[in-house]
Amino acid sequence: MPGGRSPAERLYRLVTEHARLTGTEKVWDIYCGAGSIALALAPFAASVFGCDGLTVAVKAAAENAARLGFAHCDFAAGDLPELLAARAGKESPDVIVVDPPRTGLEEGVRNFLGAASARRLAHVARGRGGPVHLHVAEQTAEGEDCLTATGRRP
C-alpha cells in the first residue's frame, strides 16, 4: 500500500481531518457498522453515538469501544429514523458522519439529516464498483444548514 496505509485507514484519516474535532463535540456516526469510523473519531470527541440497522455490527462496535477503553461511545441497533429521533430528543450532534450502504440513505435518515442542526457533516459515498468519495459540509455563519449550504443532499 502506498504510504503503508490501507484504503480504509486513509478514509478514516480523511474523515478525522475533515471533522476538525477539538474534544468538545458530540459526534454521531449513522450506519456505523462495526464502528470503525466512530472509533477513529473517539479520541478527539467528547462523545460518540453510532447507530446501524445490523445488530451484529453494532454489537461488534460496542465490543471494540470497550476493548479500546472508550467509555464515551454509545452504540444502538434498530430502525435508524426511530433511533435518530429518540436520540435527538436528548441531545443534538455537532458533527455527523454518514456512511450508508451502497443502496443509499433511507428516506427517514435523509429527512433527519435535512432537519439536523449539526455544524459539520461528512458523507462517505460509495458507488457500485466505483471509488469512495468523501463530501464534507459545514453550517454557514448565517445559520443555513450544512446540507443546503453546499447544495449536497445525501
Side-chain angles (χ1 to χ4, degrees):
M1 290 281 112
R5 296 182 191 256
S6 71
E9 289 171 320
R10 288 194 302 268
L11 173 64
Y12 306 153
R13 188 184 79 240
L14 276 172
V15 171
T16 301
E17 288 172 6
H18 288 289
R20 296 196 325 258
L21 300 175
T22 65
T24 62
E25 296 86 2
K26 294 179 289 266
V27 175
W28 290 17
D29 183 1
I30 304 171
Y31 299 102
C32 70
S36 300
I37 293 175
L39 298 175
L41 297 173
F44 312 104
S47 67
V48 176
F49 169 66
C51 58
D52 200 291
L54 300 173
T55 302
V56 67
V58 170
K59 181 179 180 208
E63 290 170 355
N64 290 334
R67 183 177 45 80
L68 294 169
F70 293 144
H72 65 300
C73 294
D74 181 33
F75 295 93
D79 179 78
L80 292 181
E82 289 178 14
L83 290 171
L84 295 169
R87 188 70 177 217
K90 299 175 189 173
E91 70 175 19
S92 295
D94 298 305
V95 176
I96 297 174
V97 176
V98 60
D99 185 4
R102 284 175 174 76
T103 54
L105 295 166
E106 56 191 279
E107 183 178 353
V109 173
R110 278 195 311 273
N111 292 340
F112 170 80
L113 292 173
S117 61
R119 293 192 313 254
R120 203 163 295 113
L121 170 74
H123 176 218
V124 179
R126 302 169 193 263
R128 293 179 191 222
V132 174
H133 298 280
L134 176 64
H135 304 286
V136 179
E138 294 192 49
Q139 188 177 50
T140 66
E142 296 79 29
E144 188 176 23
D145 78 72
C146 60
L147 294 171
T148 302
T150 63
R152 294 186 194 268
R153 290 215 171 257

